[in-house]
Amino acid sequence: MSDAAVQHETETGPCLSERETQLLETTLELLYETGYDKLTVDEVVARARASKATVYRRWPSKADLVVAAFAHGVRQIATVPDTGSLRGDLLHLGNVLLDHGRCNGAAIGGVMAEVKRSPKLRAVFEREFLDARRELVHSVLRRAVDRGEITPDVISDEIWDLLPAYVIFRSLSPSRPPTEKTIVTLVDDVLLPSLTRTLR
Amino acid sequence: MSDAAVQHETETGPCLSERETQLLETTLELLYETGYDKLTVDEVVARARASKATVYRRWPSKADLVVAAFAHGVRQIATVPDTGSLRGDLLHLGNVLLDHGRCNGAAIGGVMAEVKRSPKLRAVFEREFLDARRELVHSVLRRAVDRGEITPDVISDEIWDLLPAYVIFRSLSPSRPPTEKTIVTLVDDVLLPSLTRTLR
Amino acid sequence: MSDAAVQHETETGPCLSERETQLLETTLELLYETGYDKLTVDEVVARARASKATVYRRWPSKADLVVAAFAHGVRQIATVPDTGSLRGDLLHLGNVLLDHGRCNGAAIGGVMAEVKRSPKLRAVFEREFLDARRELVHSVLRRAVDRGEITPDVISDEIWDLLPAYVIFRSLSPSRPPTEKTIVTLVDDVLLPSLTRTLR
Amino acid sequence: MSDAAVQHETETGPCLSERETQLLETTLELLYETGYDKLTVDEVVARARASKATVYRRWPSKADLVVAAFAHGVRQIATVPDTGSLRGDLLHLGNVLLDHGRCNGAAIGGVMAEVKRSPKLRAVFEREFLDARRELVHSVLRRAVDRGEITPDVISDEIWDLLPAYVIFRSLSPSRPPTEKTIVTLVDDVLLPSLTRTLR
DNA sequence: TCATAAGCGAGACGGTACGTCGTGTCTTACG
DNA sequence: CGTAAGACACGACGTACCGTCTCGCTTATGA
């Protein structure tokens, strides 16, 4: 029986064999070091003491491999703990995104560019990355509703991702990486006024 | 007298010979079609019926060429006309960015990833792209201050680029390209509440 | 009792289990179809519905496998019947070689090239192929001596294999495969004049 | 203007640029050292300090490259000088073939096997190799006719290549490489009796 | 008017990554 | 235990792209 068959899908998301996990982590390591297009499959393979066939059996191209690795990295981000207030939760969330953006700043631009070209990659990316982000944001907002800090109707389906989007964009930005001050400003001057505004 | 000598730097920014303009526009065309890393210099050269030497004489690498082309594309965006109100100006600005994002959605991710690797490219990118964006935003805000719609102290140096950043991010986003509704929501539910908030 | 134990070496040459015979014949089939280096072990294994381990347990490399298969093929060539005359025997022998060359024309070049590299394979090849050929030729010549057609001293140890060698060479030859006329000419114009020459 | 255009076809056979000659000679060197299928294009390229593209631009596959190199090697064999007698000429010719076979013994089997698979390679091989051999043999025989040693009608179109064929076969033969004695025996005991036989 | 020089198209070239495929080793589960 | 199935490391193949280079051609000025 093959390695893969040992897997047991106990929850949502793919369940990876050990070899797959190891390959993805090696890939992620290199992705963070060198960015998307300086990363080479040969180097991944050399570091993991693996064979190209072993990689290409699972992921049909470099793009698939890298997107899978990226998703694997994202999947490990924890939930946001309840700090007791909306402001605290948002600041915490912002700082988590900040940390994550710091390590993959060089990578995500290339990854997203790659993702735009393939519906298959798009599906993976959407499921693993966007949905995870959305869940983070919505859990924070739900808690705020429960606390009575905001009303449900200020939560927009259109721009729920403003906070992560801006942090990621700034992480991409070559000359203005985001700082803690960026988070504070964004939360205090933009998000809170927006979420607590009096609706027309 | 050589082509290059025809150039006359009459203002800020480079002054391009006809050949250079043509090469950049061909590059831009391909960049929009295929994205950064599927674009090949050979294809640029073939479309422009040029020679690789002609390209590499001017731009020492593919990255330089593409960033120059990208900057050339950005340089052509007009100023935002005065619509009479802050809200009108912001909506108009959002729609301009929307249009621009639509065509370069596949490109800018790769470009930004590339830019992160080279200080020289970073300088070009910053000057041509970020400064132009900042000027657009600030001109809109200054007009609003002049009209008395907002006070100068709500204008942040930290997150002045929230609008363009979010539009660009969504343009990058494979499954959620921005729409006009995105702009309206962003302006009405976020930017205006933030800009007209009562300062603590 | 295992398959292997069924074997009983009753005479010279290896005694093969059924599985081994089947594998060699599948190999031979493919060898005749595709030649030495386009033949793949995977394809042999697939056709025989066997496992690579099963093959490699018996023959330590592709070369060993193919040479064994080749030898197996050669082993099945019958003896030359007595036609009553040297000329008839030689023509018959030539035609047997012709038939055999027709099917392995694409194979023997590669096999011989491979054999040159390994003393072990050389021994197998020599025993199975050359010795068998020599015995065929010598049996024909001995009969001719018995009939009084030739004297023993015209039989050379140096070039006893002229007939098979030439037929094989021509079978290898891409544009001039041997025909029956080739055999007749060789026998009548070369071999018989040589064998019946008056010795100096 | 490209290198190739510098060529001027002054005689039969292709005229090679310097780079081509160098690549073929490197290939030939490796072919003699390692035989057909242990030869790698990467090694050729490394030794010649060339690029794979440079090789594959000219020869679309390893097989084409090797056959071209082989032909290039054959092309350099000189003519057979007039020794004054048919026997002397044949012995000389035999020894030339002997020398050539010694160095390419490991190679020619693989080459011929390869040649059998492609009509294109067959054409090259036939033109460069067989025709050259035929001309050598026929020049020797013509001189013998001129000297009155033999009559034209003993010269067969069917088996003119008996001498080279046998020498090559024995060069291929793993356990019986040809020697000078082989040549002498072949000439004295077979070829001369055949060529000077009284016709029926 | 002509020559000298500079830019140009064309494209060969060295290098390197990609993705495919074949060999020989190994492991797992079945009979 | 032998076998079918097939994953795996290794490494070659043939393709494609980048950035460098050389070749003649054209054009455009300066003698």
Side-chain angles (χ1 to χ4, degrees):
Chain A
M1 189 181 255
S2 80
D3 281 15
V6 178
Q7 303 171 17
H8 35 274
E9 300 250 353
T10 59
E11 45 187 330
T12 66
C15 185
L16 303 173
S17 75
E18 279 188 30
R19 203 76 184 94
E20 279 163 345
T21 303
Q22 180 192 345
L23 287 169
L24 290 184
E25 281 173 3
T26 304
T27 305
L28 204 56
E29 207 178 290
L30 260 151
L31 182 62
Y32 289 164
E33 287 175 24
T34 67
Y36 177 78
D37 58 336
K38 287 289 180 292
L39 173 148
T40 74
V41 178
D42 282 338
E43 177 64 19
V44 170
V45 150
R47 278 205 198 182
R49 288 200 62 79
S51 156
K52 299 225 276 183
T54 303
V55 169
Y56 282 100
R57 191 176 303 121
R58 291 168 163 80
W59 301 282
S61 74
K62 171 181 160 179
D64 290 79
L65 170 64
V66 172
V67 170
F70 186 80
H72 178 74
V74 169
R75 212 176 291 137
Q76 296 171 343
I77 291 195
T79 57
V80 177
D82 190 337
T83 63
S85 74
L86 174 58
R87 181 169 186 272
D89 283 4
L90 288 174
L91 289 176
H92 187 96
L93 175 57
N95 282 303
V96 166
L97 296 170
L98 197 64
D99 284 342
H100 193 240
R102 255 197 273 274
C103 64
N104 72 16
I108 191 168
V111 170
M112 290 182 80
E114 210 57 34
V115 159
K116 292 215 68 145
R117 278 211 298 271
S118 154
K120 183 187 47 172
L121 295 185
R122 179 177 318 187
V124 172
F125 186 79
E126 199 168 332
R127 178 161 39 81
E128 303 290 339
F129 187 74
L130 292 184
D131 289 2
R133 290 280 178 269
R134 174 160 33 215
E135 186 44 36
L136 280 183
V137 171
H138 280 157
S139 69
V140 164
L141 295 180
R142 270 195 309 266
R143 283 202 297 256
V145 171
D146 292 346
R147 286 188 207 102
E149 292 180 284
I150 60 176
T151 57
D153 45 12
V154 300
I155 300 175
S156 164
D157 263 2
E158 184 62 39
I159 56 169
W160 62 263
D161 57 347
L162 184 61
L163 173 58
Y166 189 70
V167 175
I168 290 169
F169 180 85
R170 287 285 297 271
S171 298
L172 280 175
S173 206
S175 52
R176 300 175 65 227
T179 66
E180 200 150 346
K181 177 156 182 274
T182 310
I183 306 296
V184 174
T185 309
L186 185 60
V187 168
D188 285 338
D189 292 0
V190 177
L191 297 180
L192 289 178
S194 168
L195 290 168
T196 60
R197 73 188 184 278
T198 44
L199 293 180
R200 278 157 298 161
Chain B
M1 190 183 243
S2 80
D3 279 16
V6 177
Q7 300 175 16
H8 35 274
E9 299 251 354
T10 60
E11 46 187 331
T12 66
C15 184
L16 303 173
S17 73
E18 280 187 28
R19 201 77 185 97
E20 282 164 343
T21 303
Q22 182 193 343
L23 287 168
L24 290 185
E25 281 172 3
T26 305
T27 305
L28 204 55
E29 209 177 290
L30 261 150
L31 182 63
Y32 289 165
E33 288 175 23
T34 66
Y36 178 78
D37 61 333
K38 284 290 180 295
L39 174 148
T40 72
V41 179
D42 281 339
E43 178 63 18
V44 170
V45 150
R47 278 207 197 181
R49 294 198 60 80
S51 158
K52 302 220 307 186
T54 305
V55 169
Y56 280 98
R57 189 175 303 121
R58 291 168 166 78
W59 301 282
S61 75
K62 170 181 160 177
D64 290 81
L65 170 65
V66 171
V67 170
F70 186 81
H72 178 74
V74 169
R75 213 176 292 137
Q76 297 171 344
I77 292 196
T79 57
V80 177
D82 190 338
T83 63
S85 73
L86 174 57
R87 182 170 185 272
D89 282 3
L90 287 174
L91 290 175
H92 187 96
L93 175 56
N95 283 301
V96 167
L97 295 169
L98 198 64
D99 285 342
H100 193 240
R102 256 198 271 273
C103 62
N104 71 17
I108 190 167
V111 171
M112 290 180 80
E114 209 56 35
V115 159
K116 292 211 71 143
R117 280 213 296 268
S118 154
K120 182 185 52 172
L121 295 184
R122 180 178 316 187
V124 172
F125 186 79
E126 203 168 331
R127 177 160 41 79
E128 302 290 340
F129 186 73
L130 293 183
D131 290 2
R133 288 283 177 267
R134 174 159 34 216
E135 186 43 35
L136 280 183
V137 171
H138 280 157
S139 70
V140 164
L141 294 180
R142 271 196 308 268
R143 284 203 297 256
V145 171
D146 292 347
R147 287 190 205 101
E149 292 179 284
I150 60 175
T151 56
D153 45 13
V154 300
I155 301 176
S156 163
D157 261 1
E158 185 60 40
I159 56 166
W160 62 263
D161 57 348
L162 185 60
L163 174 57
Y166 188 70
V167 176
I168 290 169
F169 180 85
R170 287 285 296 270
S171 299
L172 279 174
S173 202
S175 54
R176 298 174 67 228
T179 65
E180 201 150 344
K181 177 157 182 272
T182 309
I183 306 296
V184 174
T185 308
L186 186 59
V187 168
D188 286 338
D189 292 359
V190 177
L191 296 182
L192 288 179
S194 168
L195 289 169
T196 60
R197 73 189 183 279
T198 48
L199 293 180
R200 276 157 299 161
Chain C
M1 189 182 242
S2 79
D3 280 17
V6 177
Q7 300 176 16
H8 36 273
E9 298 252 354
T10 59
E11 46 187 331
T12 66
C15 185
L16 303 173
S17 75
E18 280 188 28
R19 200 80 184 95
E20 281 164 342
T21 304
Q22 181 193 344
L23 287 168
L24 289 184
E25 279 171 6
T26 305
T27 305
L28 203 57
E29 208 178 291
L30 260 151
L31 182 62
Y32 289 165
E33 286 176 24
T34 67
Y36 178 78
D37 59 335
K38 284 291 180 293
L39 174 148
T40 74
V41 178
D42 280 338
E43 178 63 18
V44 171
V45 150
R47 277 207 198 183
R49 295 198 60 79
S51 157
K52 301 208 340 181
T54 305
V55 169
Y56 279 99
R57 186 173 308 119
R58 290 167 165 80
W59 300 280
S61 76
K62 170 180 160 178
D64 289 81
L65 170 65
V66 172
V67 170
F70 187 80
H72 179 73
V74 169
R75 214 175 291 137
Q76 299 171 343
I77 291 196
T79 56
V80 177
D82 189 338
T83 63
S85 74
L86 173 58
R87 182 169 185 272
D89 282 4
L90 287 174
L91 290 175
H92 187 96
L93 175 57
N95 282 303
V96 166
L97 296 169
L98 196 63
D99 283 343
H100 193 241
R102 257 197 272 272
C103 62
N104 72 17
I108 191 167
V111 170
M112 290 179 80
E114 209 56 34
V115 159
K116 291 213 69 142
R117 281 212 296 269
S118 155
K120 182 185 49 170
L121 295 184
R122 180 178 315 188
V124 173
F125 186 80
E126 202 168 331
R127 176 159 41 82
E128 303 289 339
F129 186 74
L130 292 184
D131 291 1
R133 290 280 177 270
R134 175 161 31 216
E135 185 44 35
L136 280 183
V137 170
H138 280 157
S139 70
V140 164
L141 293 180
R142 270 196 309 269
R143 284 203 296 257
V145 170
D146 291 346
R147 287 189 206 101
E149 292 180 284
I150 60 175
T151 57
D153 47 10
V154 300
I155 301 176
S156 163
D157 261 1
E158 184 59 41
I159 56 169
W160 62 263
D161 57 348
L162 184 60
L163 173 58
Y166 188 69
V167 175
I168 290 169
F169 180 85
R170 286 286 295 270
S171 297
L172 280 174
S173 201
S175 54
R176 299 174 67 226
T179 65
E180 200 149 345
K181 177 159 183 270
T182 310
I183 305 297
V184 173
T185 310
L186 185 59
V187 168
D188 285 336
D189 293 359
V190 177
L191 296 181
L192 289 179
S194 168
L195 290 168
T196 59
R197 73 189 183 278
T198 47
L199 292 179
R200 275 158 299 161
Chain D
M1 187 181 259
S2 79
D3 281 13
V6 179
Q7 301 171 18
H8 34 274
E9 300 251 352
T10 58
E11 46 186 329
T12 67
C15 186
L16 303 172
S17 75
E18 280 187 28
R19 203 75 185 95
E20 281 163 343
T21 303
Q22 182 192 343
L23 287 168
L24 290 184
E25 282 173 2
T26 304
T27 304
L28 205 55
E29 208 178 288
L30 261 151
L31 182 63
Y32 289 165
E33 286 176 23
T34 67
Y36 177 79
D37 58 337
K38 287 288 179 294
L39 174 148
T40 74
V41 178
D42 281 339
E43 177 64 20
V44 170
V45 150
R47 276 206 198 181
R49 289 199 62 78
S51 156
K52 298 225 276 182
T54 304
V55 168
Y56 282 100
R57 191 176 303 120
R58 292 167 164 79
W59 301 282
S61 75
K62 172 181 159 179
D64 289 79
L65 171 65
V66 173
V67 170
F70 186 81
H72 179 72
V74 169
R75 211 177 294 135
Q76 297 171 345
I77 291 195
T79 57
V80 176
D82 189 338
T83 63
S85 74
L86 173 58
R87 181 168 186 273
D89 282 5
L90 287 174
L91 289 175
H92 186 97
L93 175 56
N95 282 302
V96 166
L97 295 170
L98 197 65
D99 284 343
H100 193 240
R102 256 196 272 273
C103 63
N104 71 17
I108 191 167
V111 169
M112 289 181 82
E114 209 56 36
V115 158
K116 291 217 69 147
R117 278 211 299 272
S118 154
K120 184 186 49 171
L121 295 184
R122 180 179 314 189
V124 171
F125 186 79
E126 199 169 333
R127 179 160 38 80
E128 302 290 341
F129 186 74
L130 291 184
D131 290 2
R133 289 283 177 269
R134 174 159 34 215
E135 185 44 35
L136 280 183
V137 171
H138 280 158
S139 70
V140 165
L141 295 181
R142 270 195 309 268
R143 283 203 298 256
V145 171
D146 291 346
R147 285 190 207 102
E149 292 180 283
I150 60 175
T151 58
D153 43 14
V154 300
I155 302 175
S156 164
D157 262 2
E158 185 60 41
I159 55 168
W160 62 262
D161 57 348
L162 184 61
L163 174 59
Y166 189 70
V167 175
I168 290 169
F169 179 85
R170 287 284 297 270
S171 298
L172 280 175
S173 206
S175 52
R176 299 174 67 227
T179 65
E180 200 149 345
K181 176 156 182 274
T182 311
I183 306 295
V184 173
T185 309
L186 185 61
V187 169
D188 285 338
D189 293 359
V190 177
L191 297 180
L192 288 179
S194 168
L195 290 167
T196 59
R197 74 189 183 278
T198 44
L199 293 179
R200 280 158 298 163

